[in-house]
Amino acid sequence: LSEALDNCTKAWMAAGFAIQTLRDPFKGWIDVSRNYATRLFLQTPQKFRYVMMIDADVGPDVRTPILLARHEKPVVSACVVSNTRDKGVFICTAIAGPDGTHRFIALNDNVSIPHRGIFPIVNCGTGCVMIRRDVLERLWEEFEKEQTLLEEGRNLLVRLIAGQDLGPGDKDK
C-alpha cells in the first residue's frame, strides 16, 4: 500500500470503519480481484451499506469515505489522478469532450471540470469508488443468472456434439 493510503487506513480503523485490506491474490488480474472482493463483501454477515475500493497507488484524503457516502448515490467515485506515458497526467473520470465523446480528462487537454462537488459522468475509474450494497446485490444476481444460462448452453452443446437428441423443452433454450 502507498504510505498515504496506509495512513488513511489506520485513521479509518481508529474511527471505527470496518476495513479489509486485500492484496491482489490473482497477481495482476485486477478485474478478477475486484469480483473476488465484491463476493467477500456480499458474503459478510454484517450488512454494510457500502463497499469502497481504493487502489494501492491512490493516496486519498482521509475524509474521502465520508464525503462519498454522504451523497447517498448508488455509485460514486472520487476524482483520482493517474499518469501514463500516452496520456500524461489525467483524472480517472470521463466527461464529454468538445467533440461530444466521453473520455478521461488529461492535464494537457486544457479542459476544466464542469463544477465542484458531485456531477454526473458516463463512467469512472475504479481506483477510488464507493458502491452501495443493493447495486452489487442486483449485479451479482444478474451475473449468476447469466452464468446459469451459459452453463445450460454448454451442456446442450455437449449433448448435441455427442449426438444426443434434445427434448422439447431443450429446443426452446
Side-chain angles (χ1 to χ4, degrees):
L1 290 174
S2 68
E3 185 177 340
L5 183 55
D6 194 36
N7 290 337
C8 282
T9 301
K10 289 174 186 170
W12 295 331
M13 289 175 79
F17 283 88
I19 302 286
Q20 178 158 3
T21 302
L22 176 66
R23 302 255 181 222
D24 180 6
F26 300 99
K27 305 197 180 6
W29 293 93
I30 193 67
D31 52 340
V32 176
S33 294
R34 287 190 196 286
N35 287 340
Y36 176 72
T38 300
R39 190 170 346 127
L40 288 177
F41 170 74
L42 291 174
Q43 291 173 347
T44 58
Q46 307 93 334
K47 297 294 181 191
F48 298 114
R49 186 163 184 205
Y50 293 100
V51 65
M52 184 167 183
M53 295 186 193
I54 304 174
D55 287 355
D57 60 348
V58 173
D61 184 291
V62 73
R63 299 169 299 164
T64 300
I66 291 165
L67 293 173
L68 294 180
R70 77 175 182 191
H71 295 297
E72 297 188 12
K73 298 290 183 187
V75 178
V76 65
S77 176
C79 286
V80 175
V81 176
S82 190
N83 187 10
T84 63
R85 203 174 291 132
D86 59 327
K87 287 185 185 134
V89 175
F90 68 97
I91 298 173
C92 298
T93 299
I95 63 169
D99 62 356
T101 59
H102 288 80
R103 58 190 169 72
F104 289 152
I105 308 163
L107 185 61
N108 58 8
D109 281 340
N110 253 345
V111 176
S112 62
I113 295 176
H115 53 279
R116 293 178 57 86
I118 193 164
F119 56 92
I121 57 173
V122 172
N123 58 43
C124 64
T126 54
C128 188
V129 66
M130 182 176 280
I131 306 171
R132 216 170 48 203
R133 172 179 284 281
D134 63 305
V135 172
L136 291 172
E137 288 170 341
R138 282 195 316 264
L139 287 172
W140 203 261
E141 285 172 16
E142 290 301 315
F143 171 75
E144 287 178 337
K145 284 180 198 173
E146 291 293 323
Q147 293 304 306
T148 301
L149 288 173
L150 286 172
E151 188 60 32
E152 287 176 1
R154 278 190 212 106
N155 291 338
L156 288 172
L157 188 57
V158 167
R159 287 173 52 200
L160 282 171
I161 292 170
Q164 296 177 5
D165 288 332
L166 299 180
D170 290 335
K171 290 180 181 175
D172 292 337
K173 294 178 185 177

